[in-house]
């Protein structure tokens, strides 16, 4: 993928991922190095439904949604690396390991999602992921995903 193609707008993200509102947690891809890593952005808005209950008076993005956002970025990386666009294949979580939450994520920030391959196979991939706001790490994790056919 050339440098001019390494950034994705929302239209291109929608072609790469099956996720839709309210579960789509990647707004932009800033950089993608096929077979290596991806940097994506989630614009965290107070309008997100989860902020109504997490927590009233102190809105914080749930850590599990930070991991989901990282996994969606990994999904784009896997789709592009394994040439799966338009194949109908989905990328499913298999395992989450060593998740650490280091700082709260609040409305109004841009959550930077950095994900790369630890191991790459045809049907199973292992990734490292790191989420951050303005250079401060909010979450880091390792996770494994499986490439499979969509359910009928």
């Amino acid at each position: 993928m050339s440098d001019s193609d390494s950034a994705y707008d929302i239209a291109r993200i929608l072609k790469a991922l099956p996720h839709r509102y309210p579960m789509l947690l990647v707004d932009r891809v800033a950089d993608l190095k096929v077979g290596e890593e991806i940097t994506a952005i989630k614009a965290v808005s107070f309008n997100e439904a989860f902020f109504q209950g997490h927590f009233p008076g102190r809105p914080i993005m749930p850590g599990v949604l930070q991991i989901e956002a990282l996994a969606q970025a990994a999904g784009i990386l896997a789709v592009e690396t394994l040439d799966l666009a338009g194949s109908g294949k989905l990328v499913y979580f298999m395992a989450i390991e060593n998740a650490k939450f280091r700082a709260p994520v609040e409305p109004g920030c841009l959550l930077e999602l950095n994900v790369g391959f630890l191991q790459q196979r045809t049907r199973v991939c292992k990734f490292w992921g790191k989420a951050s706001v303005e250079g401060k790490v909010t979450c880091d994790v390792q996770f494994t995903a499986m490439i499979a056919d969509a359910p009928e």
Side-chain angles (χ1 to χ4, degrees):
M1 176 173 281
S2 69
D3 287 340
S4 63
D5 288 341
S6 69
Y8 283 35
D9 62 9
I10 192 65
R12 195 160 174 195
I13 290 167
L14 291 171
K15 289 179 183 175
L17 290 178
H19 303 77
R20 296 297 181 263
Y21 177 84
M23 281 306 298
L24 181 62
L25 299 175
V26 175
D27 293 315
R28 181 168 41 99
V29 172
D31 190 40
L32 185 137
K33 294 178 181 85
V34 172
E36 295 179 35
E37 63 186 79
I38 185 171
T39 300
I41 304 295
K42 164 65 179 147
V44 181
S45 167
F46 186 68
N47 294 329
E48 314 266 359
F50 55 79
F51 282 132
Q52 292 178 31
H54 199 268
F55 300 98
R58 179 69 164 100
I60 297 173
M61 183 178 188
V64 295
L65 292 180
Q66 292 180 59
I67 293 175
E68 174 64 23
L70 289 163
Q72 289 180 22
I76 295 169
L77 178 60
V79 163
E80 292 298 337
T81 298
L82 302 172
D83 199 26
L84 300 174
S87 70
K89 301 277 187 194
L90 296 177
V91 182
Y92 291 108
F93 262 137
M94 288 178 64
I96 300 170
E97 302 169 47
N98 304 318
K100 294 183 179 74
F101 303 100
R102 304 190 181 280
V105 175
E106 300 173 326
C109 70
L110 294 177
L111 186 64
E112 184 172 304
L113 310 165
N114 296 291
V115 178
F117 283 107
L118 288 171
Q119 187 176 55
Q120 180 186 335
R121 296 192 178 136
T122 306
R123 296 188 53 84
V124 176
C125 299
K126 188 167 185 175
F127 302 92
W128 59 266
K130 179 177 74 171
S132 59
V133 175
E134 296 180 359
K136 184 175 184 178
V137 175
T138 62
C139 169
D140 58 75
V141 64
Q142 292 180 2
F143 51 93
T144 306
M146 173 178 68
I147 314 302
D149 294 324
E152 293 188 24

